[in-house]
Amino acid sequence: MSVQRGQLQLQFINASEHFEKGKRQNRLLPEHIDKIVATYQFRKEEAHYSRRVDMEEIAANGYNLNISRYISTAKPEDAIVLAAVHAQLTALEKQIKNATGKHNEFLKELGLPPLP
């Protein structure tokens, strides 16, 4: 816990993705431990990793201390630029049309029916 601006706060640290995966047991490497200790020692806040929370907020959440209530683990999705996607699809459609045309020329030479 830390006290700042006269308010009691808890420091939540979500280090659930900061480890080395092992066969039978996962391990905290020195850099993971250093990050956890520094975050706690210097009361750092970092998106998706750590946050200081006032007791009033904890009380408002019914004293639920579940980390995910205070630290979002959701990663933002990449923005999709519709104009760029449309341009790519248009270019692909043109390539398909050209390839189909060439293929149909070969089929015609072979006396086979063309592709639609």
Side-chain angles (χ1 to χ4, degrees):
M1 280 192 261
S2 64
V3 178
Q4 294 196 350
R5 297 180 303 276
Q7 294 185 9
L8 188 60
Q9 295 181 323
L10 287 179
Q11 174 97 27
F12 286 89
I13 300 173
N14 180 8
S16 63
E17 297 191 17
H18 297 267
F19 62 90
E20 180 182 74
K21 196 155 186 74
K23 290 183 182 181
R24 291 191 176 144
Q25 192 171 22
N26 297 333
R27 296 176 7 160
L28 286 175
L29 298 178
E31 57 264 25
H32 301 132
I33 295 168
D34 291 345
K35 181 172 181 159
I36 293 167
V37 170
T39 300
Y40 174 77
Q41 184 177 14
F42 298 110
R43 308 293 187 248
K44 295 179 183 177
E45 290 191 284
E46 182 181 322
H48 307 292
Y49 184 73
S50 67
R51 181 172 169 234
R52 292 186 309 264
V53 180
D54 293 331
M55 288 303 294
E56 290 82 14
E57 183 177 346
I58 293 169
N61 285 316
Y63 297 96
N64 183 336
L65 299 178
N66 190 328
I67 292 173
S68 63
R69 183 170 292 272
Y70 304 99
I71 301 175
S72 172
T73 56
K75 305 278 193 241
E77 292 184 20
D78 293 335
I80 297 173
V81 181
L82 292 179
V85 172
H86 179 72
Q88 285 178 320
L89 290 174
T90 303
L92 285 172
E93 183 67 34
K94 186 176 179 180
Q95 289 176 356
I96 291 169
K97 192 173 185 178
N98 289 339
T100 302
K102 286 182 183 179
H103 188 75
N104 282 339
E105 287 176 21
F106 293 128
L107 291 174
K108 185 178 178 182
E109 287 178 22
L110 296 170
L112 298 170
L115 294 175

